[in-house]
Amino acid sequence: MHLSNAAPLSALSLRLWKQMLVLLLVVTALLPGGPARAAAPAQPAPPEEAAPLDISRYRLPIEDYTLRNGLRVILAQDDSAPVVAVNVTYWVGAAHDPVGRSGFAHLFEHMMFHGSANVPDRQFGAYLAKIGADPTSFNAYTDFDRTAYYATVPANQLPLMLWLESDRMASLVVNQESFDTERHVVIEELNQRLYNSAYGVPYRRSYALPFLGYPPYDRFVIGSKEDLEAATLDEVIAFHARYYVPNNATLTIVGDIDLPVTKALVEAYFGDIPAGDSLTPILAQYPMPAEFPVLRTDEATGCHIGYEEVMIDPLAEQPLAIGMIVGPKPADPDFPAAALLATILGTGDSSRLERNLVQTGLVPFVYAWIDPATLGAFTFQFEIYVEQPEDLDPALTLTRGEMYKIVSDGVTEAELARAKNQLIVDIVNDYYATVGNTAEQLQFYTFSFGTPDFLQSDIERLQAVTVEEVQAAAKKYLCDRPLSVISVFKEGQAVPVTHPGVAVQQVVEIDPLAGLPEGIVSRTQAPAALPAGAVEVPPFTTFTLENGLTVALVQQDKAPVVR
């Protein structure tokens, strides 16, 4: 990192930088193949076998438990600095927006960030500054599956942050005034970030295009002006009451904390907030399709092509192509191979696309990665920028050719070792960079794998990947799955893709109490008895022996026994 233009570092900051540098050097030294390099030799020797990276000595003490109201709590001690990160993630996002009401989850990101009953000026950030408890970070975000509120504050201000977050959860002001105010803010953000920003609409369209027909993911997270303006206060109140409840949230606290004191504070501030109704996960309501539409086959490679859309953006100075393929979700067995495949193909100076297309001058810029915007299925994506519109199709052809080379020929052991080094160092460095990063990663692991304590397993999964598994992932995700492409030009004729209609119907939720007789479920008084059923006596015969003994014979074949 370059610090030449940075402000002078405090003693604490210097200590943190030194710790991070030591950790990075230790991690890099322990990885197979040694430190990652910017460019590999033409024919690198296969790396020597090394022991798997063991980060047990760096493992943070973690506690994972659930309150009576369903709020999941994750605590992790990290006393490297006298700060604490508080992250409250509600498992609601654009995927949960009602039909015709896109942007509801994003709207509540704003409403919950700016107002509650007990903060006088209805501005959490302003209130913290007002009382002299300025946080080092304080913000929120919404994506398809979650809405997160996070802050890092001095460790002694933990009670204040828990008070603010519990007040946000229990006492949010949802009235016509707050609704109108934040709806206006969101619409202005939509205008600035989408319609008045170069590539704004195409970038956001790229998340939705490969999922067309799959309702949770084929919409904009930010919403639409028409849907927001059509929304009513009653609809907004119902959405809030359904999703922003403790049993649909995870509270993560990381930093210089005393575990018994922190657990007592969490119970005091959150334990008495009522739970909401039980919720079915969105991916259970809408199962992810096993296949996505293939509209044609690439003549040169035989690989599948999906949607192809041309968008005109007057603010776009350079032609751009964005490619998207629906990939695996993090818990899928082939996710590590797919992540390494993306690294080998398009991340860093030694990647295939960089060496073979950019460094040779064939393409000005191309980059590929696995995108985590949707937790139900990450997408494999790439971007290509060129100078002239006529250069875009040839650049796409070259990029597809590089993808197909891995499908047909695979990758080398040296490439795989280098990608493992790069990806593992990134994971470990991101995890330990700040307590806020750690809290975010614990939330991600909890959602994706059911446990926050997954860092070692995450590394081991990557270390275990073979070149054969990378080639198999390439065939599955770069060839068999359809590649959708958005081409963006400054001027010309747009070619939109027609929405195919809903391809996946919602699984009908059955009320587990539906059909039960009235009165048999009660928490305030003794419940009624179940209706008495008719007694059916099995058929039997009787007879009497000559000596007077009466015999009753009942024939049953439920078990191979006789009594």
Side-chain angles (χ1 to χ4, degrees):
M1 296 186 179
H2 300 285
L3 300 177
S4 57
N5 297 322
L9 294 174
S10 65
L12 173 60
S13 297
L14 283 170
R15 185 177 68 172
L16 290 174
W17 277 112
K18 289 177 182 178
Q19 289 173 343
M20 289 171 60
L21 180 59
V22 169
L23 175 62
L24 181 58
L25 291 173
V26 169
V27 169
T28 306
L30 289 173
L31 290 174
R37 290 163 292 186
Q43 294 294 332
E48 295 182 3
E49 197 69 27
L53 175 63
D54 181 4
I55 62 164
S56 58
R57 67 176 124 167
Y58 307 108
R59 182 185 176 277
L60 301 176
I62 296 175
E63 287 213 22
D64 178 11
Y65 64 100
T66 302
L67 301 185
R68 292 184 301 277
N69 58 12
L71 177 67
R72 189 164 184 174
V73 181
I74 299 164
L75 309 178
Q77 284 183 304
D78 181 353
D79 59 1
S80 59
V83 294
V84 63
V86 176
N87 181 308
V88 178
T89 296
Y90 295 87
W91 301 111
V92 55
H96 303 80
D97 288 342
V99 176
R101 293 295 181 265
S102 64
F104 263 32
H106 178 235
L107 173 68
F108 268 105
E109 175 202 324
H110 285 259
M111 294 185 69
M112 294 185 71
F113 193 76
H114 291 290
S116 70
N118 296 313
V119 177
D121 55 9
R122 292 169 24 95
Q123 292 281 337
F124 286 118
Y127 184 75
L128 286 170
K130 181 178 174 181
I131 65 174
D134 289 333
T136 58
S137 68
F138 189 74
N139 216 325
Y141 69 85
T142 306
D143 63 20
F144 286 93
D145 300 279
R146 57 189 166 177
T147 301
Y149 302 87
Y150 57 90
T152 300
V153 297
N156 65 336
Q157 294 291 354
L158 176 60
L160 174 66
M161 283 310 306
L162 296 182
W163 173 70
L164 286 172
E165 289 297 346
S166 64
D167 195 57
R168 195 198 319 257
M169 182 180 290
S171 307
L172 181 69
V173 176
V174 184
N175 56 29
Q176 193 66 50
E177 179 187 1
S178 63
F179 172 38
D180 290 341
T181 298
E182 299 309 326
R183 173 166 54 184
H184 175 73
V185 171
V186 170
I187 291 175
E188 283 304 306
E189 179 185 352
L190 192 151
N191 289 332
Q192 291 178 15
R193 296 177 61 184
L194 260 71
Y195 302 116
N196 294 318
S197 176
Y199 309 105
V201 174
Y203 276 142
R204 282 158 182 80
R205 175 67 168 170
S206 69
Y207 293 114
L209 187 63
F211 292 105
L212 288 186
Y214 181 68
Y217 292 161
D218 70 353
R219 63 192 80 179
F220 284 180
V221 171
I222 198 170
S224 75
K225 181 179 179 181
E226 294 75 18
D227 286 354
L228 290 169
E229 289 180 339
T232 67
L233 179 62
D234 287 343
E235 291 172 332
V236 170
I237 291 174
F239 188 79
H240 175 262
R242 180 171 176 80
Y243 292 109
Y244 298 86
V245 291
N247 49 306
N248 195 44
T250 304
L251 166 64
T252 298
I253 303 172
V254 180
D256 192 8
I257 60 174
D258 179 289
L259 283 175
V261 171
T262 303
K263 293 176 77 170
L265 286 171
V266 168
E267 178 63 36
Y269 282 111
F270 292 90
D272 62 349
I273 301 176
D277 293 337
S278 177
L279 295 171
T280 302
I282 197 70
L283 296 175
Q285 296 181 44
Y286 290 93
M288 184 66 65
E291 298 179 354
F292 292 85
V294 175
L295 302 185
R296 69 179 182 89
T297 300
D298 182 62
E299 294 181 0
T301 65
C303 295
H304 294 153
I305 305 295
Y307 300 110
E308 295 175 287
E309 189 163 73
V310 176
M311 303 186 73
I312 305 303
D313 182 352
L315 299 177
E317 295 299 330
Q318 286 183 286
L320 165 68
I322 311 174
M324 304 79 60
I325 302 172
V326 178
K329 64 178 182 290
D332 286 347
D334 55 2
F335 180 85
L340 289 164
L341 167 64
T343 302
I344 292 169
L345 185 62
T347 305
D349 291 340
S350 61
S351 68
R352 292 278 187 101
L353 295 177
E354 177 69 21
R355 286 189 291 112
N356 298 341
L357 298 187
V358 178
Q359 294 177 8
T360 58
L362 295 174
V363 175
F365 177 87
V366 61
Y367 178 74
W369 72 99
I370 287 278
D371 192 282
T374 59
L375 295 180
F378 279 29
T379 53
F380 178 89
Q381 295 199 16
F382 64 80
E383 292 180 5
I384 308 170
Y385 287 91
V386 297
E387 297 295 336
Q388 301 298 328
E390 61 269 20
D391 297 334
L392 198 58
D393 280 345
L396 269 170
T397 300
L398 290 170
T399 302
R400 288 180 185 141
E402 289 298 322
M403 294 163 62
Y404 187 69
K405 285 179 185 177
I406 298 182
V407 175
S408 60
D409 303 332
V411 301
T412 67
E413 292 284 358
E415 282 181 307
L416 180 57
R418 195 162 50 244
K420 288 179 181 180
N421 289 350
Q422 184 175 345
L423 209 50
I424 291 172
V425 167
D426 286 346
I427 289 172
V428 174
N429 198 32
D430 287 346
Y431 185 96
Y432 288 103
T434 67
V435 290
N437 283 44
T438 305
E440 178 71 16
Q441 195 62 31
L442 293 177
Q443 294 277 26
F444 170 76
Y445 282 151
T446 300
F447 183 91
S448 299
F449 302 100
T451 175
D453 194 8
F454 199 77
L455 178 60
Q456 181 66 45
S457 298
D458 201 8
I459 293 170
E460 291 172 354
R461 292 202 313 163
L462 288 168
Q463 289 173 322
V465 173
T466 66
V467 291
E468 291 79 14
E469 289 171 331
V470 172
Q471 186 173 12
K475 184 178 186 308
K476 179 176 181 180
Y477 295 111
L478 301 186
C479 195
D480 294 345
R481 288 277 178 96
L483 167 66
S484 295
V485 177
I486 295 176
S487 299
V488 185
F489 301 102
K490 185 179 180 66
E491 54 189 22
Q493 182 66 44
V495 182
V497 168
T498 302
H499 195 287
V502 177
V504 177
Q505 297 295 332
Q506 184 176 7
V507 175
V508 178
E509 296 185 54
I510 300 176
D511 183 353
L513 302 182
L516 290 180
E518 185 177 354
I520 68 166
V521 176
S522 175
R523 295 190 181 278
T524 59
Q525 59 187 2
L530 288 168
V535 178
E536 295 184 5
V537 179
F540 65 94
T541 57
T542 61
F543 56 93
T544 303
L545 301 182
E546 292 181 357
N547 59 6
L549 177 66
T550 300
V551 179
L553 177 62
V554 181
Q555 184 173 352
Q556 291 183 328
D557 56 6
K558 292 183 177 179
V561 296
V562 62
R563 295 182 177 86

